[in-house]
Amino acid sequence: METNNFNGNMDANNDFESLEQMKQQMTMLKEKLDHQNVVNEKLILKSVKNNNNFVNRSTIIFLIIGIFALPFCTFYFYKSGFHWWFVAYTVAMLLWSIIQMIANKVKYNIEQYIDKDLVLCLDKMIRAKSAYSRQFKQSIVFIVIFMIMFYCDIILRAYAGGIDKGIAIGLIIGGTVGGIIGGIIGFSNNFKQRRAIDEMVEDLKEIQ
């Protein structure tokens, strides 16, 4: 009988020790998971900051280009004899582009909120995603109209005798090449910016 009681006490002690070990293991596992979550969140926030910095940096670069292009293109096209309506459209298009970049920089820069309000950051990036996509489509329309007006202006001046037809052909070829190169650079930057914004949206959703 005493032997049975002794064995029972041993089993109870073993069970208690096993439970304690399991509790310790669960606590250690929870601590590891919490630590891993903190590390993952820091990495995600770092990725968000890097993408936000890229969008801001590229916006500033193209904004500077646009500001310099506005007076240069206006002066060049005017002095080269282009019609007033083409010069006016060029000025309006460049002004629209500059205003959009400034607005994007002000409205969708989340640098000061990343460490404070992630919900606000996500809301801004969702709205930025929609705005950049809309502006991309608008840019395509504006550039197509610009190129059509460019061709029409040169053709009209060539047939009116304002410029030699050989020069007109050269201008058309040069303008087309320049338009293609400029379009590739601009659209490539826009694509990279929208991809960075998409990544920020996904990252911010992950740590909500």
Side-chain angles (χ1 to χ4, degrees), residues 24-202:
Q24 290 176 0
Q25 290 174 354
M26 291 295 293
T27 302
M28 291 175 61
L29 179 61
K30 185 177 182 302
E31 290 176 352
K32 287 182 178 179
L33 289 173
D34 290 341
H35 176 71
Q36 186 64 42
N37 288 336
V38 171
V39 172
N40 288 341
E41 184 172 331
K42 287 181 178 179
L43 290 174
I44 290 173
L45 288 176
K46 183 178 179 181
S47 174
V48 171
K49 290 177 181 179
N50 289 338
N51 280 324
N52 185 65
N53 289 338
F54 165 75
V55 173
N56 286 332
R57 186 170 60 251
S58 58
T59 298
I60 290 172
I61 291 172
F62 276 81
L63 178 59
I64 292 171
I65 293 173
I67 291 172
F68 278 102
L70 179 59
F72 174 79
C73 290
T74 303
F75 179 80
Y76 172 78
F77 288 137
Y78 177 76
K79 285 296 184 180
S80 298
F82 283 83
H83 290 90
W84 68 266
W85 41 266
F86 176 74
V87 178
Y89 180 82
T90 302
V91 171
M93 184 180 70
L94 288 172
L95 279 174
W96 175 85
S97 178
I98 290 169
I99 291 170
Q100 288 297 324
M101 285 187 283
I102 293 173
N104 290 343
K105 181 76 171 61
V106 173
K107 290 194 294 185
Y108 306 124
N109 182 17
I110 61 172
E111 184 176 1
Q112 59 182 320
Y113 304 111
I114 292 177
D115 296 319
K116 299 176 183 178
D117 192 342
L118 294 180
V119 175
L120 178 61
C121 290
L122 178 59
D123 179 65
K124 281 180 173 287
M125 286 302 96
I126 290 174
R127 289 189 286 116
K129 181 178 180 179
S130 175
Y132 275 72
S133 178
R134 181 178 64 254
Q135 291 163 15
F136 174 73
K137 295 173 184 176
Q138 292 171 341
S139 297
I140 293 175
V141 175
F142 291 151
I143 290 173
V144 169
I145 294 173
F146 173 82
M147 294 306 298
I148 291 173
M149 293 178 70
F150 176 76
Y151 295 142
C152 289
D153 188 291
I154 293 173
I155 291 170
L156 287 173
R157 286 193 292 145
Y159 277 99
I163 55 174
D164 183 77
K165 290 185 178 180
I167 295 176
I169 293 173
L171 287 171
I172 289 174
I173 294 173
T176 302
V177 173
I180 292 172
I181 294 173
I184 290 173
I185 294 172
F187 291 149
S188 174
N189 178 69
N190 183 275
F191 172 77
K192 290 177 181 178
Q193 285 186 325
R194 288 188 292 127
R195 185 176 62 185
I197 292 171
D198 287 341
E199 290 178 0
M200 281 191 278
V201 169
E202 294 303 317

